[in-house]
Amino acid sequence: MSYREINDEHSKTYTYDYGEYENGKGPDTMVEDILADPDFAKLDYLVIGSWGSAYEDGCQEIIDGIVEHADQFSHITKLFIGNMDYEECEVSWIIQGNYSCLWAAMPQLKELTIMGSTDLELGQISHENLESLEIICGGLPEYVVQSIQDAHLPSLKKLMLYIGIEDYGFDGNGDTIRRLLDKADFPNLEYLGLADSEIQDEVAEIVLHSRFIDQLHTLDLSMGTLTDKGGALLLEKLPYYGNLKKLDLHYHYLSEEMEQKLAKLPMEVDVSERNKPDSYRGQIYMTPMMTE
């Protein structure tokens, strides 16, 4: 098993390389190897990288192993499952698992990050202490959005969702996002990220009319196809919300003029990574940052 230190001595990434996978390592051995690590007891942030065959086998055995040995994972307050780069596995190929039993098994959990959306199931989410939920993917299925929409997460402060595109799993539309923001009950939400979308202008409009807008300190609409249409709405509406301290729009399709106007809003604004649309046979194409 390979290890990667991240941030500090209280966090560690556990990952298998291809050679280890060829020698029999995989999702069925990961939890056993984690528990055998002498450093594990001092960690509070557990990061699981490649389990050697993420494009063929899901991480269900890892999730189930954590649940089965929940008492031995009781010191883990931050969990990231699926942290791998494209050389290990493209994000759209990562086969995930069912997290339904994890919520009750880890009541101490504060942060959960999931990478990949293929076969991802969140089930009925109920957790008193979770403060951050982030899903990184090339396309977020509508049924996953609905699980979040119906979740009981009274302590949630940060929600970060990569919406993605239809070709890689997003089978919803603007109404999917509207229902999420209309029905979700997150009284302590202060960071909302709805990023990496090919309908970013529409998402911006929906967020601006949501009941969460006046309780946020950070709005993240980055990595998508935001154009001057969405930029103009942000420019018009956001000065009225003194609660907002940061607007993240990095990777966008704004004009230079709109970019400069947004940068003058009375908050921290990230408008880096301006892109230009592609044109082919009279059609204009814009793509989010992360798809495959």
Side-chain angles (χ1 to χ4, degrees), residues 209-244:
H209 289 93
S210 78
R211 58 194 170 88
F212 289 109
I213 191 64
D214 60 1
Q215 71 183 63
L216 303 176
H217 69 55
T218 300
L219 176 59
D220 189 338
L221 299 172
S222 63
M223 299 180 279
T225 60
L226 188 73
T227 70
D228 282 7
K229 179 180 179 181
L233 291 171
L234 295 169
L235 194 63
E236 175 189 358
K237 300 291 186 181
L238 290 187
Y240 296 101
Y241 297 100
N243 50 291
L244 274 171

PDB file of all heavy atoms in Angstrom, residues 209-244:
ATOM      1  N   HIS A 209     -32.390  33.573  -6.795  1.00  0.00           N
ATOM      2  CA  HIS A 209     -33.783  33.638  -6.365  1.00  0.00           C
ATOM      3  C   HIS A 209     -34.092  32.612  -5.267  1.00  0.00           C
ATOM      4  O   HIS A 209     -35.258  32.428  -4.907  1.00  0.00           O
ATOM      5  CB  HIS A 209     -34.720  33.425  -7.559  1.00  0.00           C
ATOM      6  CG  HIS A 209     -34.729  34.572  -8.516  1.00  0.00           C
ATOM      7  ND1 HIS A 209     -33.907  34.623  -9.613  1.00  0.00           N
ATOM      8  CD2 HIS A 209     -35.439  35.730  -8.514  1.00  0.00           C
ATOM      9  CE1 HIS A 209     -34.121  35.754 -10.281  1.00  0.00           C
ATOM     10  NE2 HIS A 209     -35.042  36.443  -9.619  1.00  0.00           N
ATOM     11  N   SER A 210     -33.070  31.972  -4.743  1.00  0.00           N
ATOM     12  CA  SER A 210     -33.298  30.961  -3.707  1.00  0.00           C
ATOM     13  C   SER A 210     -33.301  31.605  -2.322  1.00  0.00           C
ATOM     14  O   SER A 210     -32.777  32.704  -2.120  1.00  0.00           O
ATOM     15  CB  SER A 210     -32.217  29.880  -3.772  1.00  0.00           C
ATOM     16  OG  SER A 210     -31.010  30.337  -3.188  1.00  0.00           O
ATOM     17  N   ARG A 211     -33.853  30.900  -1.362  1.00  0.00           N
ATOM     18  CA  ARG A 211     -33.919  31.418   0.003  1.00  0.00           C
ATOM     19  C   ARG A 211     -32.583  31.326   0.726  1.00  0.00           C
ATOM     20  O   ARG A 211     -32.433  31.866   1.834  1.00  0.00           O
ATOM     21  CB  ARG A 211     -34.993  30.672   0.799  1.00  0.00           C
ATOM     22  CG  ARG A 211     -34.796  29.186   0.869  1.00  0.00           C
ATOM     23  CD  ARG A 211     -36.061  28.496   1.366  1.00  0.00           C
ATOM     24  NE  ARG A 211     -35.986  27.057   1.235  1.00  0.00           N
ATOM     25  CZ  ARG A 211     -35.481  26.254   2.146  1.00  0.00           C
ATOM     26  NH1 ARG A 211     -34.964  26.751   3.252  1.00  0.00           N
ATOM     27  NH2 ARG A 211     -35.469  24.940   1.965  1.00  0.00           N
ATOM     28  N   PHE A 212     -31.593  30.667   0.109  1.00  0.00           N
ATOM     29  CA  PHE A 212     -30.287  30.550   0.749  1.00  0.00           C
ATOM     30  C   PHE A 212     -29.395  31.760   0.497  1.00  0.00           C
ATOM     31  O   PHE A 212     -28.413  31.949   1.211  1.00  0.00           O
ATOM     32  CB  PHE A 212     -29.563  29.283   0.260  1.00  0.00           C
ATOM     33  CG  PHE A 212     -30.165  28.007   0.764  1.00  0.00           C
ATOM     34  CD1 PHE A 212     -30.857  27.170  -0.098  1.00  0.00           C
ATOM     35  CD2 PHE A 212     -30.062  27.641   2.093  1.00  0.00           C
ATOM     36  CE1 PHE A 212     -31.417  25.990   0.363  1.00  0.00           C
ATOM     37  CE2 PHE A 212     -30.624  26.463   2.567  1.00  0.00           C
ATOM     38  CZ  PHE A 212     -31.299  25.631   1.696  1.00  0.00           C
ATOM     39  N   ILE A 213     -29.708  32.564  -0.504  1.00  0.00           N
ATOM     40  CA  ILE A 213     -28.786  33.594  -0.953  1.00  0.00           C
ATOM     41  C   ILE A 213     -28.448  34.598   0.151  1.00  0.00           C
ATOM     42  O   ILE A 213     -27.336  35.125   0.195  1.00  0.00           O
ATOM     43  CB  ILE A 213     -29.324  34.319  -2.213  1.00  0.00           C
ATOM     44  CG1 ILE A 213     -28.246  35.217  -2.836  1.00  0.00           C
ATOM     45  CG2 ILE A 213     -30.597  35.073  -1.910  1.00  0.00           C
ATOM     46  CD1 ILE A 213     -27.052  34.477  -3.364  1.00  0.00           C
ATOM     47  N   ASP A 214     -29.382  34.854   1.057  1.00  0.00           N
ATOM     48  CA  ASP A 214     -29.110  35.860   2.093  1.00  0.00           C
ATOM     49  C   ASP A 214     -28.493  35.286   3.364  1.00  0.00           C
ATOM     50  O   ASP A 214     -28.378  35.988   4.368  1.00  0.00           O
ATOM     51  CB  ASP A 214     -30.378  36.658   2.427  1.00  0.00           C
ATOM     52  CG  ASP A 214     -31.504  35.796   2.946  1.00  0.00           C
ATOM     53  OD1 ASP A 214     -31.310  34.570   3.073  1.00  0.00           O
ATOM     54  OD2 ASP A 214     -32.584  36.341   3.226  1.00  0.00           O
ATOM     55  N   GLN A 215     -28.091  34.007   3.326  1.00  0.00           N
ATOM     56  CA  GLN A 215     -27.402  33.435   4.483  1.00  0.00           C
ATOM     57  C   GLN A 215     -25.992  32.957   4.137  1.00  0.00           C
ATOM     58  O   GLN A 215     -25.263  32.479   5.014  1.00  0.00           O
ATOM     59  CB  GLN A 215     -28.209  32.280   5.086  1.00  0.00           C
ATOM     60  CG  GLN A 215     -28.265  31.008   4.248  1.00  0.00           C
ATOM     61  CD  GLN A 215     -29.144  29.936   4.870  1.00  0.00           C
ATOM     62  OE1 GLN A 215     -30.351  30.125   5.035  1.00  0.00           O
ATOM     63  NE2 GLN A 215     -28.543  28.797   5.222  1.00  0.00           N
ATOM     64  N   LEU A 216     -25.575  33.100   2.888  1.00  0.00           N
ATOM     65  CA  LEU A 216     -24.284  32.592   2.445  1.00  0.00           C
ATOM     66  C   LEU A 216     -23.164  33.607   2.669  1.00  0.00           C
ATOM     67  O   LEU A 216     -23.374  34.805   2.521  1.00  0.00           O
ATOM     68  CB  LEU A 216     -24.320  32.250   0.951  1.00  0.00           C
ATOM     69  CG  LEU A 216     -25.363  31.247   0.481  1.00  0.00           C
ATOM     70  CD1 LEU A 216     -25.307  31.130  -1.046  1.00  0.00           C
ATOM     71  CD2 LEU A 216     -25.148  29.884   1.130  1.00  0.00           C
ATOM     72  N   HIS A 217     -21.970  33.094   2.988  1.00  0.00           N
ATOM     73  CA  HIS A 217     -20.797  33.958   2.918  1.00  0.00           C
ATOM     74  C   HIS A 217     -19.961  33.647   1.679  1.00  0.00           C
ATOM     75  O   HIS A 217     -19.153  34.460   1.251  1.00  0.00           O
ATOM     76  CB  HIS A 217     -19.943  33.888   4.192  1.00  0.00           C
ATOM     77  CG  HIS A 217     -19.221  32.584   4.421  1.00  0.00           C
ATOM     78  ND1 HIS A 217     -18.375  31.995   3.509  1.00  0.00           N
ATOM     79  CD2 HIS A 217     -19.206  31.757   5.498  1.00  0.00           C
ATOM     80  CE1 HIS A 217     -17.870  30.884   3.996  1.00  0.00           C
ATOM     81  NE2 HIS A 217     -18.371  30.702   5.207  1.00  0.00           N
ATOM     82  N   THR A 218     -20.177  32.460   1.069  1.00  0.00           N
ATOM     83  CA  THR A 218     -19.453  32.100  -0.146  1.00  0.00           C
ATOM     84  C   THR A 218     -20.412  31.491  -1.157  1.00  0.00           C
ATOM     85  O   THR A 218     -21.178  30.581  -0.827  1.00  0.00           O
ATOM     86  CB  THR A 218     -18.328  31.083   0.140  1.00  0.00           C
ATOM     87  OG1 THR A 218     -17.393  31.658   1.068  1.00  0.00           O
ATOM     88  CG2 THR A 218     -17.590  30.703  -1.135  1.00  0.00           C
ATOM     89  N   LEU A 219     -20.347  31.998  -2.385  1.00  0.00           N
ATOM     90  CA  LEU A 219     -21.106  31.445  -3.498  1.00  0.00           C
ATOM     91  C   LEU A 219     -20.114  30.997  -4.552  1.00  0.00           C
ATOM     92  O   LEU A 219     -19.323  31.795  -5.062  1.00  0.00           O
ATOM     93  CB  LEU A 219     -22.066  32.482  -4.075  1.00  0.00           C
ATOM     94  CG  LEU A 219     -22.867  32.061  -5.314  1.00  0.00           C
ATOM     95  CD1 LEU A 219     -23.712  30.828  -5.030  1.00  0.00           C
ATOM     96  CD2 LEU A 219     -23.743  33.215  -5.803  1.00  0.00           C
ATOM     97  N   ASP A 220     -20.159  29.718  -4.891  1.00  0.00           N
ATOM     98  CA  ASP A 220     -19.212  29.124  -5.837  1.00  0.00           C
ATOM     99  C   ASP A 220     -19.970  28.655  -7.070  1.00  0.00           C
ATOM    100  O   ASP A 220     -20.727  27.687  -7.019  1.00  0.00           O
ATOM    101  CB  ASP A 220     -18.491  27.952  -5.164  1.00  0.00           C
ATOM    102  CG  ASP A 220     -17.341  27.401  -5.989  1.00  0.00           C
ATOM    103  OD1 ASP A 220     -17.333  27.614  -7.212  1.00  0.00           O
ATOM    104  OD2 ASP A 220     -16.450  26.758  -5.396  1.00  0.00           O
ATOM    105  N   LEU A 221     -19.770  29.376  -8.161  1.00  0.00           N
ATOM    106  CA  LEU A 221     -20.362  29.018  -9.462  1.00  0.00           C
ATOM    107  C   LEU A 221     -19.251  28.807 -10.485  1.00  0.00           C
ATOM    108  O   LEU A 221     -19.404  29.118 -11.668  1.00  0.00           O
ATOM    109  CB  LEU A 221     -21.315  30.131  -9.928  1.00  0.00           C
ATOM    110  CG  LEU A 221     -22.507  30.425  -9.015  1.00  0.00           C
ATOM    111  CD1 LEU A 221     -23.258  31.656  -9.491  1.00  0.00           C
ATOM    112  CD2 LEU A 221     -23.455  29.230  -8.957  1.00  0.00           C
ATOM    113  N   SER A 222     -18.172  28.261 -10.024  1.00  0.00           N
ATOM    114  CA  SER A 222     -16.973  28.124 -10.843  1.00  0.00           C
ATOM    115  C   SER A 222     -17.038  26.921 -11.777  1.00  0.00           C
ATOM    116  O   SER A 222     -17.948  26.099 -11.717  1.00  0.00           O
ATOM    117  CB  SER A 222     -15.745  27.984  -9.930  1.00  0.00           C
ATOM    118  OG  SER A 222     -15.844  26.795  -9.154  1.00  0.00           O
ATOM    119  N   MET A 223     -16.052  26.841 -12.664  1.00  0.00           N
ATOM    120  CA  MET A 223     -15.755  25.666 -13.498  1.00  0.00           C
ATOM    121  C   MET A 223     -16.834  25.329 -14.523  1.00  0.00           C
ATOM    122  O   MET A 223     -16.834  24.236 -15.077  1.00  0.00           O
ATOM    123  CB  MET A 223     -15.486  24.437 -12.611  1.00  0.00           C
ATOM    124  CG  MET A 223     -14.304  24.608 -11.697  1.00  0.00           C
ATOM    125  SD  MET A 223     -13.980  23.177 -10.642  1.00  0.00           S
ATOM    126  CE  MET A 223     -15.185  23.442  -9.335  1.00  0.00           C
ATOM    127  N   GLY A 224     -17.758  26.249 -14.754  1.00  0.00           N
ATOM    128  CA  GLY A 224     -18.849  25.970 -15.686  1.00  0.00           C
ATOM    129  C   GLY A 224     -18.841  26.884 -16.895  1.00  0.00           C
ATOM    130  O   GLY A 224     -17.825  27.494 -17.232  1.00  0.00           O
ATOM    131  N   THR A 225     -19.998  26.985 -17.531  1.00  0.00           N
ATOM    132  CA  THR A 225     -20.120  27.738 -18.788  1.00  0.00           C
ATOM    133  C   THR A 225     -20.774  29.093 -18.552  1.00  0.00           C
ATOM    134  O   THR A 225     -21.593  29.546 -19.364  1.00  0.00           O
ATOM    135  CB  THR A 225     -20.929  26.932 -19.815  1.00  0.00           C
ATOM    136  OG1 THR A 225     -22.243  26.671 -19.280  1.00  0.00           O
ATOM    137  CG2 THR A 225     -20.241  25.607 -20.129  1.00  0.00           C
ATOM    138  N   LEU A 226     -20.425  29.745 -17.456  1.00  0.00           N
ATOM    139  CA  LEU A 226     -20.996  31.059 -17.147  1.00  0.00           C
ATOM    140  C   LEU A 226     -20.617  32.075 -18.225  1.00  0.00           C
ATOM    141  O   LEU A 226     -19.443  32.236 -18.561  1.00  0.00           O
ATOM    142  CB  LEU A 226     -20.515  31.542 -15.784  1.00  0.00           C
ATOM    143  CG  LEU A 226     -21.198  32.805 -15.258  1.00  0.00           C
ATOM    144  CD1 LEU A 226     -22.621  32.497 -14.807  1.00  0.00           C
ATOM    145  CD2 LEU A 226     -20.395  33.406 -14.109  1.00  0.00           C
ATOM    146  N   THR A 227     -21.624  32.766 -18.760  1.00  0.00           N
ATOM    147  CA  THR A 227     -21.402  33.795 -19.775  1.00  0.00           C
ATOM    148  C   THR A 227     -21.855  35.151 -19.236  1.00  0.00           C
ATOM    149  O   THR A 227     -22.260  35.284 -18.081  1.00  0.00           O
ATOM    150  CB  THR A 227     -22.179  33.478 -21.067  1.00  0.00           C
ATOM    151  OG1 THR A 227     -23.593  33.657 -20.818  1.00  0.00           O
ATOM    152  CG2 THR A 227     -21.916  32.052 -21.539  1.00  0.00           C
ATOM    153  N   ASP A 228     -21.823  36.148 -20.108  1.00  0.00           N
ATOM    154  CA  ASP A 228     -22.240  37.488 -19.694  1.00  0.00           C
ATOM    155  C   ASP A 228     -23.704  37.532 -19.271  1.00  0.00           C
ATOM    156  O   ASP A 228     -24.101  38.413 -18.493  1.00  0.00           O
ATOM    157  CB  ASP A 228     -22.006  38.487 -20.829  1.00  0.00           C
ATOM    158  CG  ASP A 228     -20.544  38.880 -20.949  1.00  0.00           C
ATOM    159  OD1 ASP A 228     -19.706  38.282 -20.242  1.00  0.00           O
ATOM    160  OD2 ASP A 228     -20.229  39.780 -21.756  1.00  0.00           O
ATOM    161  N   LYS A 229     -24.515  36.606 -19.752  1.00  0.00           N
ATOM    162  CA  LYS A 229     -25.922  36.560 -19.346  1.00  0.00           C
ATOM    163  C   LYS A 229     -26.021  36.312 -17.836  1.00  0.00           C
ATOM    164  O   LYS A 229     -26.724  37.035 -17.115  1.00  0.00           O
ATOM    165  CB  LYS A 229     -26.662  35.469 -20.114  1.00  0.00           C
ATOM    166  CG  LYS A 229     -28.132  35.345 -19.742  1.00  0.00           C
ATOM    167  CD  LYS A 229     -28.806  34.237 -20.548  1.00  0.00           C
ATOM    168  CE  LYS A 229     -30.275  34.092 -20.147  1.00  0.00           C
ATOM    169  NZ  LYS A 229     -30.935  32.996 -20.903  1.00  0.00           N
ATOM    170  N   GLY A 230     -25.322  35.301 -17.375  1.00  0.00           N
ATOM    171  CA  GLY A 230     -25.305  35.019 -15.940  1.00  0.00           C
ATOM    172  C   GLY A 230     -24.526  36.072 -15.178  1.00  0.00           C
ATOM    173  O   GLY A 230     -24.900  36.442 -14.055  1.00  0.00           O
ATOM    174  N   GLY A 231     -23.451  36.561 -15.773  1.00  0.00           N
ATOM    175  CA  GLY A 231     -22.647  37.588 -15.127  1.00  0.00           C
ATOM    176  C   GLY A 231     -23.443  38.850 -14.859  1.00  0.00           C
ATOM    177  O   GLY A 231     -23.307  39.479 -13.805  1.00  0.00           O
ATOM    178  N   ALA A 232     -24.304  39.241 -15.811  1.00  0.00           N
ATOM    179  CA  ALA A 232     -25.129  40.445 -15.643  1.00  0.00           C
ATOM    180  C   ALA A 232     -26.105  40.290 -14.479  1.00  0.00           C
ATOM    181  O   ALA A 232     -26.350  41.245 -13.730  1.00  0.00           O
ATOM    182  CB  ALA A 232     -25.877  40.740 -16.939  1.00  0.00           C
ATOM    183  N   LEU A 233     -26.657  39.095 -14.301  1.00  0.00           N
ATOM    184  CA  LEU A 233     -27.565  38.842 -13.176  1.00  0.00           C
ATOM    185  C   LEU A 233     -26.826  38.960 -11.844  1.00  0.00           C
ATOM    186  O   LEU A 233     -27.340  39.548 -10.889  1.00  0.00           O
ATOM    187  CB  LEU A 233     -28.181  37.448 -13.314  1.00  0.00           C
ATOM    188  CG  LEU A 233     -29.173  37.246 -14.454  1.00  0.00           C
ATOM    189  CD1 LEU A 233     -29.525  35.769 -14.578  1.00  0.00           C
ATOM    190  CD2 LEU A 233     -30.435  38.077 -14.236  1.00  0.00           C
ATOM    191  N   LEU A 234     -25.633  38.402 -11.789  1.00  0.00           N
ATOM    192  CA  LEU A 234     -24.838  38.487 -10.570  1.00  0.00           C
ATOM    193  C   LEU A 234     -24.482  39.939 -10.265  1.00  0.00           C
ATOM    194  O   LEU A 234     -24.541  40.383  -9.115  1.00  0.00           O
ATOM    195  CB  LEU A 234     -23.564  37.648 -10.714  1.00  0.00           C
ATOM    196  CG  LEU A 234     -23.762  36.136 -10.850  1.00  0.00           C
ATOM    197  CD1 LEU A 234     -22.454  35.463 -11.248  1.00  0.00           C
ATOM    198  CD2 LEU A 234     -24.287  35.527  -9.560  1.00  0.00           C
ATOM    199  N   LEU A 235     -24.110  40.664 -11.304  1.00  0.00           N
ATOM    200  CA  LEU A 235     -23.729  42.064 -11.142  1.00  0.00           C
ATOM    201  C   LEU A 235     -24.896  42.899 -10.625  1.00  0.00           C
ATOM    202  O   LEU A 235     -24.717  43.811  -9.808  1.00  0.00           O
ATOM    203  CB  LEU A 235     -23.243  42.608 -12.491  1.00  0.00           C
ATOM    204  CG  LEU A 235     -22.483  43.937 -12.496  1.00  0.00           C
ATOM    205  CD1 LEU A 235     -21.186  43.817 -11.715  1.00  0.00           C
ATOM    206  CD2 LEU A 235     -22.207  44.363 -13.934  1.00  0.00           C
ATOM    207  N   GLU A 236     -26.092  42.562 -11.068  1.00  0.00           N
ATOM    208  CA  GLU A 236     -27.280  43.309 -10.663  1.00  0.00           C
ATOM    209  C   GLU A 236     -27.720  42.979  -9.241  1.00  0.00           C
ATOM    210  O   GLU A 236     -28.083  43.883  -8.461  1.00  0.00           O
ATOM    211  CB  GLU A 236     -28.426  43.002 -11.626  1.00  0.00           C
ATOM    212  CG  GLU A 236     -29.757  43.640 -11.246  1.00  0.00           C
ATOM    213  CD  GLU A 236     -30.918  43.157 -12.090  1.00  0.00           C
ATOM    214  OE1 GLU A 236     -30.699  42.346 -13.012  1.00  0.00           O
ATOM    215  OE2 GLU A 236     -32.057  43.582 -11.799  1.00  0.00           O
ATOM    216  N   LYS A 237     -27.702  41.715  -8.878  1.00  0.00           N
ATOM    217  CA  LYS A 237     -28.318  41.270  -7.625  1.00  0.00           C
ATOM    218  C   LYS A 237     -27.374  41.246  -6.422  1.00  0.00           C
ATOM    219  O   LYS A 237     -27.791  41.545  -5.298  1.00  0.00           O
ATOM    220  CB  LYS A 237     -28.903  39.871  -7.810  1.00  0.00           C
ATOM    221  CG  LYS A 237     -29.975  39.761  -8.896  1.00  0.00           C
ATOM    222  CD  LYS A 237     -31.248  40.484  -8.497  1.00  0.00           C
ATOM    223  CE  LYS A 237     -32.355  40.246  -9.522  1.00  0.00           C
ATOM    224  NZ  LYS A 237     -33.603  40.963  -9.155  1.00  0.00           N
ATOM    225  N   LEU A 238     -26.114  40.858  -6.624  1.00  0.00           N
ATOM    226  CA  LEU A 238     -25.254  40.573  -5.479  1.00  0.00           C
ATOM    227  C   LEU A 238     -24.910  41.779  -4.604  1.00  0.00           C
ATOM    228  O   LEU A 238     -24.685  41.598  -3.399  1.00  0.00           O
ATOM    229  CB  LEU A 238     -23.965  39.881  -5.951  1.00  0.00           C
ATOM    230  CG  LEU A 238     -24.152  38.453  -6.466  1.00  0.00           C
ATOM    231  CD1 LEU A 238     -22.807  37.804  -6.748  1.00  0.00           C
ATOM    232  CD2 LEU A 238     -24.970  37.591  -5.506  1.00  0.00           C
ATOM    233  N   PRO A 239     -24.853  43.008  -5.144  1.00  0.00           N
ATOM    234  CA  PRO A 239     -24.548  44.135  -4.246  1.00  0.00           C
ATOM    235  C   PRO A 239     -25.551  44.311  -3.110  1.00  0.00           C
ATOM    236  O   PRO A 239     -25.261  44.985  -2.113  1.00  0.00           O
ATOM    237  CB  PRO A 239     -24.572  45.348  -5.192  1.00  0.00           C
ATOM    238  CG  PRO A 239     -24.205  44.787  -6.519  1.00  0.00           C
ATOM    239  CD  PRO A 239     -24.860  43.430  -6.552  1.00  0.00           C
ATOM    240  N   TYR A 240     -26.732  43.711  -3.231  1.00  0.00           N
ATOM    241  CA  TYR A 240     -27.758  43.844  -2.193  1.00  0.00           C
ATOM    242  C   TYR A 240     -27.576  42.850  -1.052  1.00  0.00           C
ATOM    243  O   TYR A 240     -28.316  42.899  -0.067  1.00  0.00           O
ATOM    244  CB  TYR A 240     -29.151  43.668  -2.811  1.00  0.00           C
ATOM    245  CG  TYR A 240     -29.498  44.749  -3.808  1.00  0.00           C
ATOM    246  CD1 TYR A 240     -29.390  44.510  -5.170  1.00  0.00           C
ATOM    247  CD2 TYR A 240     -29.913  46.009  -3.380  1.00  0.00           C
ATOM    248  CE1 TYR A 240     -29.700  45.509  -6.093  1.00  0.00           C
ATOM    249  CE2 TYR A 240     -30.227  47.008  -4.295  1.00  0.00           C
ATOM    250  CZ  TYR A 240     -30.112  46.751  -5.650  1.00  0.00           C
ATOM    251  OH  TYR A 240     -30.409  47.738  -6.553  1.00  0.00           O
ATOM    252  N   TYR A 241     -26.612  41.952  -1.180  1.00  0.00           N
ATOM    253  CA  TYR A 241     -26.415  40.923  -0.161  1.00  0.00           C
ATOM    254  C   TYR A 241     -25.083  41.145   0.544  1.00  0.00           C
ATOM    255  O   TYR A 241     -24.041  40.625   0.130  1.00  0.00           O
ATOM    256  CB  TYR A 241     -26.486  39.533  -0.789  1.00  0.00           C
ATOM    257  CG  TYR A 241     -27.841  39.235  -1.380  1.00  0.00           C
ATOM    258  CD1 TYR A 241     -28.066  39.354  -2.750  1.00  0.00           C
ATOM    259  CD2 TYR A 241     -28.907  38.877  -0.567  1.00  0.00           C
ATOM    260  CE1 TYR A 241     -29.325  39.110  -3.296  1.00  0.00           C
ATOM    261  CE2 TYR A 241     -30.164  38.637  -1.092  1.00  0.00           C
ATOM    262  CZ  TYR A 241     -30.366  38.759  -2.454  1.00  0.00           C
ATOM    263  OH  TYR A 241     -31.611  38.524  -2.984  1.00  0.00           O
ATOM    264  N   GLY A 242     -25.132  41.910   1.618  1.00  0.00           N
ATOM    265  CA  GLY A 242     -23.923  42.223   2.366  1.00  0.00           C
ATOM    266  C   GLY A 242     -23.332  41.031   3.087  1.00  0.00           C
ATOM    267  O   GLY A 242     -22.193  41.075   3.556  1.00  0.00           O
ATOM    268  N   ASN A 243     -24.113  39.944   3.189  1.00  0.00           N
ATOM    269  CA  ASN A 243     -23.612  38.738   3.843  1.00  0.00           C
ATOM    270  C   ASN A 243     -22.555  38.023   3.011  1.00  0.00           C
ATOM    271  O   ASN A 243     -21.714  37.300   3.544  1.00  0.00           O
ATOM    272  CB  ASN A 243     -24.756  37.767   4.120  1.00  0.00           C
ATOM    273  CG  ASN A 243     -25.619  37.514   2.889  1.00  0.00           C
ATOM    274  OD1 ASN A 243     -26.333  38.421   2.433  1.00  0.00           O
ATOM    275  ND2 ASN A 243     -25.566  36.307   2.343  1.00  0.00           N
ATOM    276  N   LEU A 244     -22.573  38.223   1.693  1.00  0.00           N
ATOM    277  CA  LEU A 244     -21.625  37.525   0.819  1.00  0.00           C
ATOM    278  C   LEU A 244     -20.229  38.131   0.922  1.00  0.00           C
ATOM    279  O   LEU A 244     -20.052  39.335   0.740  1.00  0.00           O
ATOM    280  CB  LEU A 244     -22.094  37.570  -0.630  1.00  0.00           C
ATOM    281  CG  LEU A 244     -23.056  36.468  -1.057  1.00  0.00           C
ATOM    282  CD1 LEU A 244     -23.609  36.751  -2.441  1.00  0.00           C
ATOM    283  CD2 LEU A 244     -22.379  35.102  -1.033  1.00  0.00           C
TER     284      LEU A 244
END
